[in-house]
Amino acid sequence: MRLEGKTAIVTGGGSGFGAGIARVFAREGATVMVADINGDPAAAVAAEVGGIAQVVDVASGASVAAMTAAARDAWGRIDILVNNAGITHLPKPMEEVTEEEFDRVLAVNAKSVYLTAREIVPMMKAARTGAILNIASTAGLSPRPRLNWYNASKGWMITATKAMAVELAPAGVRVNALCPVAGETPLLKSFMGEDTPEMRAKFLSTIPLGRFSTPQDMGEAAAFLCSEAASMITGVALEVDGGRCI
């Protein structure tokens, strides 16, 4: 029960890594808001973990404000924020990514971190405590070809994490990031371009431990970084990647 009595918002919580994080958080005693742009999956995970479902578009300031207000109304405070929602463009040469694709990737993967900070950081500062976890990627540390602007968005998230950590430390707020390798999530096919045994084998050949990351892996790492066991850890980008970045 590492998170007993804590309240947590997990964006993109209706599937993939976000759902895994929500499940482990609930197991560890947290009350979770499962926030997702897709209402039905969010409701399903929230029902499973005994939490709250919230429809949110993390690229919209008004939508993020509504999510924050719903959490404030329900709990009176927000102890943990997990910025997990993310998207990618399909693998292609960098110059062939459309402006619309670029804008959407940066809005969901980068602007969302600003928007949630704008709404939630003041509450954490007032409380003199809080934990923010940004779900980045090994793509931000060791980029793969043909995912250029996705790579860049995750690199941005890692730098934002460190900048947030050093600024918010005096207020008692910790900010960390997780850098997973490709995992068994709805985004896997998008990363690979096509989900075939040959493409999976190619991806797995770059991971020394020989498997993809799982939602459970992310949940366990996230629970540690957001718990008091990690009270002296801030500004890290923890690789949960089976050795991919070595």
Side-chain angles (χ1 to χ4, degrees):
M1 302 296 284
R2 290 174 287 177
L3 302 177
E4 187 171 9
K6 299 293 187 181
T7 62
I9 296 175
V10 180
T11 69
S15 65
F17 292 153
I21 291 168
R23 291 183 180 110
V24 175
F25 275 21
R27 186 198 75 198
E28 294 296 322
T31 302
V32 183
M33 173 179 280
V34 181
D36 202 288
I37 198 168
N38 299 308
D40 289 344
V45 175
E48 177 187 341
V49 304
I52 303 169
Q54 177 71 27
V55 175
V56 65
D57 176 357
V58 295
S60 162
S63 188
V64 170
M67 176 189 74
T68 305
R72 186 189 301 113
D73 291 346
W75 304 325
R77 70 187 198 281
I78 299 170
D79 298 315
I80 299 168
L81 165 66
V82 180
N83 286 307
N84 168 76
I87 61 170
T88 185
H89 54 81
L90 293 176
K92 63 179 75 174
M94 66 178 73
E95 70 275 16
E96 293 180 12
V97 174
T98 68
E99 185 173 355
E100 291 75 18
E101 289 173 318
F102 175 90
D103 286 346
R104 186 63 177 160
V105 167
L106 270 291
V108 174
N109 296 357
K111 184 182 178 183
S112 62
V113 177
Y114 154 72
L115 292 174
T116 56
R118 185 176 69 174
E119 298 298 329
I120 295 172
V121 161
M123 297 174 62
M124 290 183 170
K125 279 184 171 179
R128 303 291 301 174
T129 186
I132 299 172
L133 183 64
N134 298 323
I135 307 304
S137 172
T138 55
L141 298 168
S142 181
R144 294 182 188 270
R146 294 166 57 85
L147 288 169
N148 196 80
W149 309 116
Y150 170 78
N151 298 334
S153 73
K154 292 302 186 178
W156 182 99
M157 184 178 274
I158 292 167
T159 300
T161 295
K162 294 178 181 294
M164 293 169 73
V166 73
E167 181 170 332
L168 296 179
V173 179
R174 297 185 302 109
V175 189
N176 291 296
L178 288 182
C179 295
V181 73
E184 294 285 1
T185 75
L187 282 182
L188 181 59
K189 183 177 179 180
S190 295
F191 291 137
M192 296 190 299
E194 57 179 347
D195 191 350
T196 65
E198 294 77 17
M199 190 60 71
R200 282 181 173 244
K202 181 180 179 181
F203 261 64
L204 285 172
S205 70
T206 69
I207 303 172
L209 283 182
R211 68 172 177 85
F212 292 115
S213 57
T214 68
Q216 180 80 15
D217 294 327
M218 293 306 109
E220 299 293 350
F224 166 67
L225 284 178
C226 293
S227 75
E228 290 305 310
S231 62
M232 192 57 175
I233 300 175
T234 195
V236 306
L238 179 64
E239 298 158 22
V240 186
D241 67 348
R244 157 83 169 84
C245 287
I246 296 172

